Amino acid sequence: MITTASSDPKLFGYWAYLAIEKHFQRTVQYETDVLKDKDPEALHQMRVGMRRLRTVVSGFAPALVLPKGAREKKIAKVARRLGQLRDLDIMQDALQNQYLPTLPNSEQKIGKKVLATLEKRRHQVLVQVQKTLKDKPYQEMKRAFQDWLQTPTYGIFAEFPIDQILPDLLLPFVSQFFLHPAWLMGVHLSDGQKQVAQDLSLEDVVELFRVQGSVLHSLRKQAKGVRYQMELFTDFYETPYQDYVKEIKSIQRILGQIQDSFVLAEFLSDCLNSEIKKKLPTLVEQLSGDRYQLWQEWRSLQERYLHPKTRKDLRLIVVHPVESATPTSSVNIQDAQHANLST
């Protein structure tokens, strides 16, 4: 175990410290606003900060020796609680601002009742979030990170050249991303040839979603994971790498919007205790149309990422990081260790 932070940007431990400092501070800076429920954006940013901090802890694991309170499972519990509230905010915004104004009066009346129920549900979850952020486990997690940033301890790979270790860190994430079964959703395979369906009707897409919608949602989560992992190391790669990160972000966005649509429909159905098609036919039609449009966007990316050249190019890019990089963060490790990092 190593107990001093290297100041050499060529070494893995240097970047591990920078990443933890950056994403921990980003997370806790929004805590007060989340507790006061001042702005949905603060909740979003804190949730993203938690997710990225979790990715840092996982991605830099070979270089880190963290206290028990700062480990991945502790972060995940808080992130899930924040996510429950954020999901309700997304539903509320979509229903109130995107769909409700376009509905006929009869459906608007029903929609407003649903919004009232949604607001009650949100208040209940907000109370749980506030309790989580005040309770002992979260406070212990914060102290664990603050203590580590003051006196960091490292694993044996901290002194390893980062450009030599990056391919081994990133390739497993990329490979699992490529091997996800959602890439073959709606694809015909024959004698090693892949054919992506080009002319699926709305009814065909509805049936695909019914049968395999959960598979797409799984890919969405994996896309988010590989994107966060790749974003940790953008300083070590050139423009083509950044382009892939942007594309994966687009995949995550499209699949996320599809999932959000289904979550909203499920909430409406539970709230109304009925088939929403009977009470909200216009809204159901709009949701189906939106999913179909999103499917068209997804299909073009699906076809691109099934192409052998796309996969080969990304693998080759990951294998060849640049030999030196300048941190985009202005944090100086030695100064940060002696700074007051309490929140």
Side-chain angles (χ1 to χ4, degrees), residues 44 47-48 51 83 86-87 90 176-177 180-183 185 212-228 247-263 298:
H44 171 60
R47 181 195 190 189
V48 170
R51 286 177 165 177
R86 176 61 181 169
D87 289 344
I90 291 172
Q176 290 302 311
F177 181 60
H180 198 283
W183 293 113
M185 188 171 171
Q212 300 185 56
S214 61
V215 180
L216 270 184
H217 179 49
S218 174
L219 178 60
R220 175 229 186 153
K221 292 190 289 186
Q222 195 164 78
K224 179 169 55 185
V226 73
R227 170 198 157 200
Y228 283 177
E247 278 193 341
I248 294 170
K249 183 177 181 180
S250 294
I251 292 168
Q252 177 193 337
R253 173 188 59 81
I254 292 166
L255 299 185
Q257 289 176 347
I258 292 173
Q259 176 65 14
D260 291 343
S261 173
F262 279 107
V263 170
W298 151 251

Side-chain angles (χ1 to χ4, degrees), residues 1 14 50 80 86 114 123 208 250 273 287 308:
M1 182 172 66
Y14 175 93
M50 278 285 180
R80 280 194 294 270
R86 176 61 181 169
V114 172
H123 178 72
L208 267 178
S250 294
N273 197 26
L287 290 171

Side-chain angles (χ1 to χ4, degrees), residues 110-123:
I110 297 173
K112 288 177 181 177
K113 291 180 180 179
V114 172
L115 276 173
T117 302
L118 183 56
E119 181 59 34
K120 291 179 182 178
R121 180 82 60 85
R122 187 190 182 280
H123 178 72

